[in-house]
Amino acid sequence: MHIVLLSGGSGKRLWPLSNDIRSKQFIPLFPQVDGAYISMAQRVFRQIRKVDASADITVATSKAQVSTLKNQLGDAVDISVEPCRRDTFPAIVLVSAYLHDVKGVGLDEAVAVCPVDPYVSTDYYKAVQHLTELAAQGTADLMLMGIEPTYPSEKYGYIMPTSKDEISKVDSFKEKPAAVKAAEYIEKGALWNSGVFAYRLGYVLEKAHELLDFKGYEDLYENYGNLTKISFDYAVVEKEHSIGVLRYAGEWKDLGTWNTLTEIMHEPSIGEVTMDDSCSDTHVVNELDVPILVMGAKNLVVAASPEGILVADKESSSHIKPYVENLTQQVMFAEKSWGSFQIIDVEEDSLTIKVTLNAGHGMNYHSHAHRQEIWNIVSGEGTVLLDGQERMVKAGDIVELPVGCKHKVTAQSRMTIMEVQLGEAISKADKIKWE
């Protein structure tokens, strides 16, 4: 099975646990038997492997998410990188060209495209596998997976099939309707549009060449920023005549708001949280190193991270986005391919960061033109490379880096470093790579 996972999201609806780098699919919310927590992205990969251990999985995403994906899924994860955001049609065309031109996937082979962030059971990916088989068999040029509605939602678009059979041709599509109209659609057999597509690779590339002027993957990538922003639904799906739909009646939730996210949490709190007995229908997620005490709360969501603190009625939490868009704070926490960083303190001429390096990983060899740095090795051991000279470092060591010094640290075991940056113009743009 060739499966493409679309990984996007601005990270605003689940603030403060998400930000422009860490979208909802990367938040560790699902407890494991060993006490650790995994994210939606990690959960999805495990579910796909359970259905098809040899599945060929490619993640289509922006540059900003590459490091987080590698941190959570490993350096071997296959990623098709979008140079910039251009909506789902350009993204699907780019990853389709990547599959054919870079990975050598044949034009007659079937590909499934799925969002990376719905909460589903393993049966969902069995249905996706069935969908790719239908596309490979030529059941229709384009196959969709429609979700059996559980209520007349105003949040989703609707697929109108020609029958109520498990596999049907598609008659039409309906935009997000009012609840009364949605109920009428459901009575006629309508399905929620899940955003899952399956097609033969050659089909999408042929459509792409009809609508876009490009020679192949490299040409498309180089000129990606000039493409018009348009969804795959508008560009292809709603104009296609040979289109079918597979009904899926299993578990499926779109975790787009705090209200829906708390519905799937296995426990009322995560992190160092104390709630008194008078609390009801309240969920708390604490990613800070300080305790949170909640008393007498009803129907609330409380979330705390280095980005900020949210206290909201669950119904009101769905209206968070315009308020978060007005916040101008820099990203305070991010996962990288080599580990993670958390900004601890921001002053006018200094920045203090807690850096965690995974064993066997290191930063790029680089220098700064406008700032000096001081590293305090808190735990672990590794090597530092300073202007071509390498030496061992361990917990308790202090490393001073003057302005212009070329430097790199590599962890032999998991390392924690407190990094203090000093200078009048501290900026992430002040970085010169030397390798």
Side-chain angles (χ1 to χ4, degrees):
M1 176 168 61
H2 295 286
I3 184 167
V4 171
L5 298 175
L6 297 180
S7 180
S10 62
K12 292 183 171 57
R13 294 190 185 277
L14 293 178
W15 184 91
L17 300 191
S18 60
N19 54 38
D20 287 338
I21 296 175
R22 188 202 202 191
S23 297
K24 60 184 176 182
Q25 59 267 31
F26 302 123
I27 303 172
L29 292 170
F30 304 99
Q32 304 301 292
V33 292
D34 62 358
Y37 286 80
I38 63 171
S39 69
M40 181 65 70
Q42 292 168 315
R43 184 174 186 269
V44 163
F45 258 68
R46 294 184 185 190
Q47 288 178 311
I48 295 172
R49 294 295 185 209
K50 189 173 181 179
V51 171
D52 183 355
S54 61
D56 176 38
I57 307 172
T58 304
V59 183
T61 192
S62 65
K63 288 182 178 179
Q65 292 188 3
V66 171
S67 286
T68 306
L69 281 163
K70 289 185 175 181
N71 182 285
Q72 294 198 355
L73 302 175
D75 288 333
V77 61
D78 195 1
I79 301 175
S80 170
V81 182
E82 293 178 77
C84 55
R85 287 295 190 196
R86 280 296 179 267
D87 216 328
T88 53
F89 174 63
I92 290 173
V93 171
L94 183 67
V95 72
S96 296
Y98 173 80
L99 290 176
H100 180 59
D101 296 351
V102 179
K103 298 184 66 173
V105 178
L107 296 177
D108 289 331
E109 294 191 55
V111 176
V113 176
C114 311
V116 74
D117 52 11
Y119 182 80
V120 296
S121 65
T122 304
D123 286 344
Y124 173 89
Y125 291 103
K126 291 180 181 178
V128 171
Q129 188 176 44
H130 187 196
L131 200 71
T132 61
E133 293 167 353
L134 293 171
Q137 293 164 8
T139 304
D141 285 340
L142 186 63
M143 289 297 305
L144 310 181
M145 190 160 76
I147 309 298
E148 287 276 10
T150 54
Y151 68 99
S153 173
E154 300 177 356
K155 298 188 302 180
Y156 307 123
Y158 285 77
I159 301 170
M160 306 299 294
T162 58
S163 75
K164 294 184 179 181
D165 296 335
E166 180 190 17
I167 302 167
S168 170
K169 292 183 178 179
V170 173
D171 179 69
S172 61
F173 297 90
K174 302 296 183 182
E175 293 291 337
K176 299 173 182 177
V180 174
K181 183 60 69 174
E184 293 178 11
Y185 294 157
I186 293 172
E187 183 65 27
K188 295 177 182 178
L191 302 166
W192 287 338
N193 191 345
S194 66
V196 178
F197 317 103
Y199 52 83
R200 288 177 298 103
L201 191 56
Y203 164 81
V204 161
L205 290 177
E206 183 179 336
K207 289 290 182 183
H209 283 293
E210 290 175 3
L211 298 171
L212 304 173
D213 182 19
F214 71 100
K215 296 177 182 178
Y217 170 75
E218 294 294 341
D219 182 35
L220 188 64
Y221 184 89
E222 289 297 324
N223 295 285
Y224 196 76
N226 298 322
L227 300 182
T228 301
K229 292 183 178 180
I230 185 170
S231 73
F232 191 74
D233 281 327
Y234 288 136
V236 178
V237 179
E238 295 183 6
K239 297 180 176 65
E240 179 56 58
H241 298 293
S242 177
I243 186 167
V245 62
L246 172 68
R247 288 178 176 268
Y248 173 71
E251 187 174 27
W252 182 86
K253 286 183 181 292
D254 178 18
L255 306 182
T257 65
W258 270 111
N259 204 12
T260 55
L261 186 68
T262 56
E263 291 177 2
I264 57 88
M265 285 179 59
H266 294 255
E267 49 202 1
S269 65
I270 297 175
E272 192 174 351
V273 176
T274 300
M275 302 171 68
D276 75 355
D277 293 338
S278 65
C279 290
S280 64
D281 195 25
T282 292
H283 288 79
V284 185
V285 181
N286 183 13
E287 293 191 331
L288 298 178
D289 294 325
V290 295
I292 290 181
L293 171 62
V294 182
M295 303 177 69
K298 294 175 175 56
N299 199 45
L300 291 185
V301 56
V302 179
S305 85
E307 301 293 324
I309 298 172
L310 169 71
V311 181
D313 174 82
K314 286 187 177 178
E315 290 301 320
S316 299
S317 67
S318 61
H319 306 294
I320 190 176
K321 188 174 181 180
Y323 296 96
V324 176
E325 286 176 339
N326 288 328
L327 300 178
T328 57
Q329 182 182 17
Q330 67 186 91
V331 172
M332 301 294 286
F333 172 84
E335 292 179 270
K336 309 294 286 184
S337 58
W338 40 260
S340 64
F341 72 82
Q342 178 182 332
I343 295 177
I344 303 298
D345 183 65
V346 181
E347 301 289 343
E348 184 176 352
D349 296 328
S350 72
L351 192 67
T352 303
I353 306 173
K354 180 180 179 181
V355 178
T356 301
L357 281 169
N358 294 329
H361 289 260
M363 303 174 186
N364 293 319
Y365 193 39
H366 64 281
S367 63
H368 307 288
H370 303 288
R371 71 171 184 258
Q372 61 174 306
E373 295 180 355
I374 302 169
W375 294 349
N376 188 332
I377 313 300
V378 177
S379 64
E381 60 182 23
T383 61
V384 294
L385 182 64
L386 306 178
D387 284 332
Q389 300 295 314
E390 187 176 71
R391 65 181 175 90
M392 291 290 299
V393 290
K394 62 184 185 306
D397 288 347
I398 295 176
V399 181
E400 296 187 12
L401 308 168
V403 175
C405 173
K406 298 177 184 178
H407 56 275
K408 174 181 181 177
V409 58
T410 303
Q412 293 183 349
S413 62
R414 184 178 174 86
M415 292 181 70
T416 300
I417 302 171
M418 295 301 296
E419 175 183 302
V420 180
Q421 301 177 4
L422 301 171
E424 295 182 357
I426 297 174
S427 166
K428 64 180 181 180
D430 180 19
K431 184 175 183 178
I432 305 168
K433 293 184 179 180
W434 295 97
E435 65 177 13

